[in-house]
Amino acid sequence: MGEFSTRVTPLNRCITEPLPTGGQIEYEDFPCTINVTGPMLYTLFQERWQDTQIGHVVEGGVLELEFTQPPKICVLYDGYLTVVTEAWHLHLCLEEHLGGPLAKTPPELRQQRLIHRASLYRRLNEKGDARSWGIQFWNGAGEKMMNLFLPNPFVGEDEDLLPEGKPQLDKLSLYQELREIYVLGIRPIPFENNPLKRPYLAVCRSSRCYPSRNWQPIIEALQQAVKEAGMDVYVMSSGCLEVCKMGPVVFYSGDRTWYTRVNPDVARRIVREHLVQGQLIKNHLYPPGVKVEG
């Protein structure tokens, strides 16, 4: 992952492509490492969610999603950023997706899924005037992934197209801020550490591995142990953690460890022995007795 820096080293790469209906699109690339994309996407999804729309655009189809409130979940699991709202969710591969506790994803597929290019863009009309702004991502196969639509000064409330000559130029402030931080590198990243790398403990709530779904005591034991240890570790429930047997299952993101057959006593040991002392609880590890590395 590399050491986190609050300054982005600019790529100084601008690519312009003609549009088939006239005009052009201008891409300004920025680094797509996790220590750049992580803070940017955390800002957009957690702090500026009301100014961010999610999209996917190909010839013949456009998808647009918006937030109506902050997301319920914004977390990095096995390489994928997962963002969950009341109505929809998304996954975006920011690091290599190893493929769960058994690291099943082939190396070539890991590279294909991963973001390999990221750009701030402006769509320009035939006169060279910018008409829309956003962020575009590409995977390792060069395919366009999702893009993010940023506030448009020519569009008012309820998608109202404003009169010519009366744009709301203050709406460009988010685009300008992101450009200065992540493209030009003239302003610092507004975090001391990568916010998507804050460690967490996740408890699987799936009935496939734990039919009774009585996972709440595990959550409470972890939360109490973390509090007593004075650690900044988030405790959460989650969907499937890719073990699907021997529940309850607990995942620790700090070093990518899965535990099975966790009860409240084991949960407390995970914090006291593993997180505090650095000692794995070997008889609860998954895979059993083995720490799988990517």
Side-chain angles (χ1 to χ4, degrees):
M1 179 179 67
E3 185 176 348
F4 184 77
S5 172
T6 59
R7 289 286 182 175
V8 174
T9 301
L11 296 180
N12 298 315
R13 185 165 64 228
C14 181
I15 298 172
T16 302
E17 298 178 359
L19 295 170
T21 55
Q24 57 190 9
I25 186 164
E26 174 190 271
Y27 295 107
E28 290 186 297
D29 290 357
F30 57 87
C32 52
T33 60
I34 186 62
N35 280 334
V36 175
T37 57
M40 171 187 274
L41 293 172
Y42 184 90
T43 295
L44 292 172
F45 295 151
Q46 288 287 87
E47 299 179 350
R48 301 296 296 272
W49 54 269
Q50 60 271 69
D51 296 321
T52 305
Q53 290 185 320
I54 318 298
H56 186 67
V57 180
V58 295
E59 290 298 334
V62 177
L63 171 70
E64 295 185 44
L65 299 172
E66 64 179 17
F67 294 93
T68 57
Q69 59 187 8
K72 298 190 298 181
I73 295 174
C74 183
V75 70
L76 193 66
Y77 171 74
D78 198 12
Y80 273 94
L81 172 63
T82 295
V83 179
V84 179
T85 74
E86 292 290 344
W88 53 266
H89 66 271
L90 67 83
H91 304 286
L92 183 62
C93 194
L94 304 186
E95 292 186 296
E96 282 196 356
H97 170 62
L98 302 185
L102 299 178
K104 292 182 177 180
T105 308
E108 63 275 11
L109 189 55
R110 298 178 191 181
Q111 289 301 309
Q112 180 179 345
R113 291 173 172 172
L114 182 63
I115 289 177
H116 274 255
R117 182 185 169 198
S119 298
L120 230 63
Y121 71 80
R122 300 188 305 160
R123 293 178 70 93
L124 312 176
N125 63 16
E126 296 88 339
K127 298 178 180 179
D129 300 322
R131 281 296 181 263
S132 63
W133 294 257
I135 300 168
Q136 180 69 61
F137 299 107
W138 291 261
N139 65 15
E143 300 165 328
K144 285 186 176 180
M145 303 164 80
M146 70 181 63
N147 59 304
L148 307 180
F149 301 113
L150 299 177
N152 190 319
F154 300 102
V155 180
E157 297 297 325
D158 300 321
E159 299 297 313
D160 176 33
L161 194 61
L162 299 176
E164 284 291 338
K166 295 184 178 181
Q168 298 175 355
L169 295 179
D170 59 316
K171 286 191 169 186
L172 288 177
S173 62
L174 178 57
Y175 167 83
Q176 292 165 347
E177 175 185 327
L178 295 175
R179 185 170 184 265
E180 290 174 359
I181 296 172
Y182 298 102
V183 174
L184 302 179
I186 60 176
R187 291 176 58 181
I189 293 174
F191 300 100
E192 294 182 359
N193 298 288
N194 188 336
L196 288 184
K197 284 297 184 175
R198 179 191 176 193
Y200 65 86
L201 287 156
V203 181
C204 181
R205 59 176 180 266
S206 172
S207 61
R208 180 176 297 179
C209 65
Y210 191 47
S212 74
R213 303 190 72 198
N214 186 28
W215 44 263
Q216 190 60 38
I218 315 298
I219 289 275
E220 293 170 358
L222 290 170
Q223 290 173 331
Q224 184 61 33
V226 166
K227 181 179 179 180
E228 291 173 356
M231 304 187 75
D232 182 23
V233 177
Y234 180 53
V235 179
M236 58 181 284
S237 66
S238 80
C240 179
L241 292 174
E242 302 174 279
V243 176
C244 298
K245 56 187 174 183
M246 297 185 292
V249 175
V250 170
F251 171 74
Y252 176 52
S253 72
D255 58 6
R256 201 174 175 276
T257 301
W258 284 258
Y259 285 110
T260 59
R261 297 175 289 108
V262 177
N263 58 34
D265 287 337
V266 174
R268 287 185 280 268
R269 288 182 60 198
I270 290 172
V271 176
R272 291 197 302 261
E273 298 176 27
H274 182 171
L275 276 63
V276 176
Q277 300 175 18
Q279 301 296 319
L280 296 173
I281 304 173
K282 295 184 179 180
N283 59 335
H284 288 272
L285 279 177
Y286 189 81
V290 179
K291 182 73 162 61
V292 175
E293 302 294 341

